Amino acid sequence: MQTQELLPPVKEALALFPDKFSDESVYAGPLGGAWAPGRVNLIGEHTDYNGGFVLPLAVDRVASCGGRRRKDQLVRLWSTHASEYAQFTLEGLPQSFDEQRQQLPGWARYLLGVATELVRAGIVLQGFDAVVAGDVPLGGGMSSSAALEIATAQAFALFSDGKFTIGEKGTTLTYLEVAALCQRAEQIASGVMCGILDQAASVLGLPGKAILLDCRSMEYRYLPFEAPNVSVVVIDTSVRRELASSAYNERRSQCEQATQLLQKAILQADPENSQARQIKELRDITPEQYAQHKDQLPEVLQKRAGYVIAENKRVLKVVELLGQNDIEAVGAILWQGHAGLRDEYEVSCDELDALVEIAQSVPGVLGARMMGGGFGGCTINLVRNEALDALRAAVEEQYPARTGRQAVIDICRAAAGPGHTIVG
């Protein structure tokens, strides 16, 4: 078995497979592995479901499935994180989704969701057994669920015996079609009405590149994200919150309300404004229109709309800076983004704020902000390499004293997207 070129979680899944699944009589194909990366989002938080812009990069942390194709319609799984088995059948999907979902642990529901959406898309699937492993922090704001979903789609492609393919034009499903499919899978599996940021970032990743994605048109382009003297540092608060219970859906609803009220106010002020009639999301409202009409909103909706409109502007400013290869200047915009998430969107928490404040006190940290849905998870930090040790020392000394928790510090690189391979 040649696995020396594979990432460690893929190797782990493949190595564990013979111990966890040993019934040779059920298999109809060789051993293979599939994987997909987590992501960090440089800027553009909570803009995806408002039709706005995001600027993520895939990172060198992956979710993986290592296994073999079965002769039947059963999918059997072993999770290294949960240390438990789970199984479901492809028979009866999508109609059997709700009944099967109730019988599965949370992590396995994402795989069932992907299978369900693939079947709904007309894809003929084959069952498989697989070990599920990964080194994307679970619930840490680096999109472990999206990585698992994209890896699952890759696994089904791998074990379908060539019946469907994922890629660019000429394939059964394009990368962005897979991203949208996995977004729907997450929504039905978790109950969180997530945007497409996480899945698109995972499926589109390229080494040394950030991805500017227009979440309405789904147009995207790559920007250079390599600076030999600057590192991307992800610091995990060790705080875990379920997005469904962390007011994520409430924020989405508030943005929709704000859009409707702002559109009404703009039209009342100028009934002949044809552009205002085309307003569908906060992305369509300019900063000038918001400033003129924000008093028509309740205070909480002013905050939500003000943050999203400003955040879209921040994304485009970072794009401009990256186009000039000025990664260092991006840092100041991260501080601004965190302040907006903390004070206007109100999705931060004491632990996230503590990490950002500690980072701000360390010379050589260019910028930091909370990342992900909020209420826990990670911060993203842009740090000059000579300041890495000082940041680590400051976090290790001050964070436990302030929060009673231990933080986990990791350095990430912009990395490639998903893949799969037969190994023997």
Side-chain angles (χ1 to χ4, degrees):
M1 183 171 66
Q2 300 297 315
T3 62
Q4 66 271 20
E5 300 302 322
L6 299 177
L7 291 166
V10 188
K11 294 181 183 180
E12 179 187 14
L14 294 169
L16 283 173
F17 181 83
D19 295 329
K20 301 302 178 182
F21 300 97
S22 57
D23 186 359
E24 287 287 334
S25 66
V26 303
Y27 299 123
L31 186 65
W35 61 90
R39 65 101 182 101
V40 296
N41 191 28
L42 190 59
I43 196 76
E45 213 69 79
H46 291 276
T47 52
D48 56 346
Y49 55 80
N50 286 294
F53 302 98
V54 294
L55 193 63
L57 44 124
V59 295
D60 51 346
R61 305 288 182 274
V62 301
S64 66
C65 297
R68 295 179 67 180
R69 177 164 51 95
R70 293 176 60 93
K71 297 175 182 177
D72 56 22
Q73 294 287 285
L74 196 63
V75 175
R76 295 195 306 163
L77 308 161
W78 167 264
S79 166
T80 61
H81 289 297
S83 296
E84 65 181 351
Y85 286 99
Q87 70 177 48
F88 58 86
T89 180
L90 302 172
E91 293 179 359
L93 290 177
Q95 290 79 10
S96 65
F97 170 80
D98 288 332
E99 180 182 354
Q100 293 201 71
R101 178 186 181 277
Q102 296 173 8
Q103 301 169 10
L104 290 174
W107 62 269
R109 294 175 181 178
Y110 294 105
L111 290 94
L112 173 64
V114 173
T116 300
E117 293 304 317
L118 285 168
V119 171
R120 210 188 304 273
I123 306 297
V124 177
L125 301 180
Q126 188 70 30
F128 62 85
D129 290 352
V131 172
V132 178
D135 56 2
V136 185
L138 301 184
M142 292 176 70
S143 303
S144 57
S145 57
L148 179 58
E149 291 148 13
I150 300 295
T152 300
Q154 290 284 331
F156 275 116
L158 173 65
F159 299 127
S160 71
D161 198 25
K163 290 186 177 67
F164 88 95
T165 54
I166 298 170
E168 297 295 350
K169 294 179 181 179
T171 56
T172 313
L173 293 173
T174 67
Y175 289 127
L176 284 177
E177 286 172 339
V178 169
L181 184 150
C182 289
Q183 176 197 12
R184 294 191 298 272
E186 176 142 347
Q187 291 174 348
I188 65 173
S190 70
V192 176
M193 296 305 293
C194 62
I196 200 168
L197 159 64
D198 299 344
Q199 292 80 9
S202 179
V203 82
L204 293 174
L206 284 179
K209 302 292 184 182
I211 308 155
L212 173 64
L213 176 67
D214 180 331
C215 294
R216 173 176 294 168
S217 69
M218 296 310 296
E219 294 177 352
Y220 64 92
R221 63 186 174 95
Y222 293 101
L223 293 158
F225 192 79
E226 286 184 300
N229 301 319
V230 177
S231 293
V232 175
V233 179
V234 175
I235 308 179
D236 192 339
T237 62
S238 300
V239 175
R240 294 292 177 266
R241 301 285 174 87
E242 290 293 331
L243 282 180
S245 62
S246 70
Y248 183 99
N249 290 343
E250 179 187 43
R251 294 300 186 279
R252 183 166 186 157
S253 175
Q254 289 169 337
C255 290
E256 292 167 355
Q257 294 173 49
T259 302
Q260 294 168 4
L261 291 173
L262 284 168
Q263 181 187 43
K264 182 179 178 181
I266 294 166
L267 282 171
Q268 284 179 340
D270 182 6
E272 302 304 317
N273 188 334
S274 59
Q275 179 269 338
R277 298 183 187 280
Q278 304 303 314
I279 290 173
K280 298 178 181 178
E281 296 164 299
L282 287 175
R283 178 255 183 84
D284 299 315
I285 297 170
T286 67
E288 294 74 22
Q289 287 174 325
Y290 171 73
Q292 184 178 355
H293 299 289
K294 66 180 181 179
D295 290 343
Q296 303 295 311
L297 300 179
E299 182 180 0
V300 68
L301 297 188
Q302 281 190 40
K303 289 183 175 181
R304 305 299 186 254
Y307 164 75
V308 171
I309 292 167
E311 183 77 347
N312 272 318
K313 190 174 180 179
R314 284 190 283 268
V315 174
L316 298 179
K317 179 60 179 178
V318 171
V319 168
E320 178 185 328
L321 292 171
L322 291 182
Q324 300 165 1
N325 202 29
D326 192 357
I327 288 180
E328 290 210 3
V330 172
I333 300 175
L334 299 194
W335 301 124
Q336 296 168 18
H338 183 77
L341 288 159
R342 180 191 63 212
D343 301 332
E344 296 177 290
Y345 221 62
E346 298 180 287
V347 291
S348 190
C349 64
D350 291 343
E351 293 85 355
L352 287 165
D353 293 342
L355 284 178
V356 171
E357 290 164 13
I358 292 167
Q360 206 156 16
S361 72
V362 177
V365 176
L366 303 170
R369 69 173 187 86
M370 62 148 279
M371 183 176 65
F375 306 101
C378 298
T379 62
I380 180 173
N381 305 256
L382 285 184
V383 186
R384 290 196 184 102
N385 291 344
E386 64 266 24
L388 290 171
D389 290 342
L391 176 61
R392 182 180 297 275
V395 170
E396 289 176 349
E397 177 186 353
Q398 298 178 38
Y399 185 70
R402 292 183 60 165
T403 68
R405 296 176 180 272
Q406 297 292 327
V408 179
I409 303 171
D410 206 357
I411 298 175
C412 294
R413 294 178 296 118
H420 59 71
T421 186
I422 294 296
V423 296

